[in-house]
C-alpha cells in the first residue's frame, strides 16, 4: 500500500470540490425526480397551463413553446410546459430595474427596448 501525503489546505480544497460535485449531482437527480419528463397532448397541456386549446395553438404558432407531432397530434414535454410557466411568471423583483422591466414586459407583452408588442392586437 502506498501512502500519499499532502498539505492540509490542499486536502480541504479537494474535499470542498468533492462536496460541490456531490451537491450538483443531488440537485440534478432531484430535478429529474420532481418532474417526470413525459409527453402530454394539447388538451392536457392547455389544462395544465390554464388556457384554451386555441390559445395554446397561438403560443405554438409563435414558437414560444416546443412541441412534437405524432400521428398529426401535437405533444408537449412536461419539462417544456414547466419552462414556459417559469419564463412567464411575474416575480416580486420590483426592487431592481431588471425585475421591474421584466415584469412590465410580461404584463404588457412588450419585448423591451424596441417598444414593440408581441402578439397583441391593436
Amino acid at each position: 500500500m502506498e501512502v500519499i501525503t499532502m498539505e492540509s489546505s490542499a486536502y480541504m480544497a479537494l474535499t470542498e470540490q468533492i462536496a460541490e460535485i456531490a451537491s450538483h449531482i443531488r440537485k440534478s437527480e432531484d430535478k429529474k425526480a420532481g418532474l417526470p419528463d413525459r409527453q402530454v397532448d394539447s388538451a392536457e397541456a392547455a389544462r395544465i397551463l390554464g388556457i384554451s386549446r386555441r390559445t395554446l395553438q397561438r403560443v405554438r404558432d409563435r414558437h414560444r413553446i416546443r412541441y412534437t407531432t405524432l400521428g398529426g397530434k401535437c405533444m408537449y414535454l412536461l419539462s417544456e410546459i414547466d419552462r414556459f410557466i417559469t419564463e412567464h411568471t411575474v416575480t416580486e423583483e420590483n426592487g431592481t430595474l431588471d425585475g421591474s422591466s421584466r415584469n412590465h414586459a410580461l404584463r404588457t407583452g412588450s419585448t423591451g427596448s424596441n417598444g414593440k408588442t408581441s402578439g397583441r392586437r391593436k
Side-chain angles (χ1 to χ4, degrees), residues 105-117:
L106 287 173
R107 288 185 180 125
T108 62
S110 68
T111 57
S113 61
N114 61 6
K116 294 181 181 177
T117 59

Side-chain angles (χ1 to χ4, degrees), residues 8-27:
S8 62
S9 60
Y11 175 77
M12 294 303 287
L14 182 63
T15 56
E16 287 176 13
Q17 289 176 345
I18 292 171
E20 285 180 33
I21 293 169
S23 173
H24 179 71
I25 291 170
R26 276 189 218 102
K27 286 179 185 175

Side-chain angles (χ1 to χ4, degrees), residues 25-40:
I25 291 170
R26 276 189 218 102
K27 286 179 185 175
S28 296
E29 288 173 351
D30 289 346
K31 188 182 265 188
K32 288 179 185 175
L35 181 66
D37 208 14
R38 63 181 182 91
Q39 290 188 334
V40 296

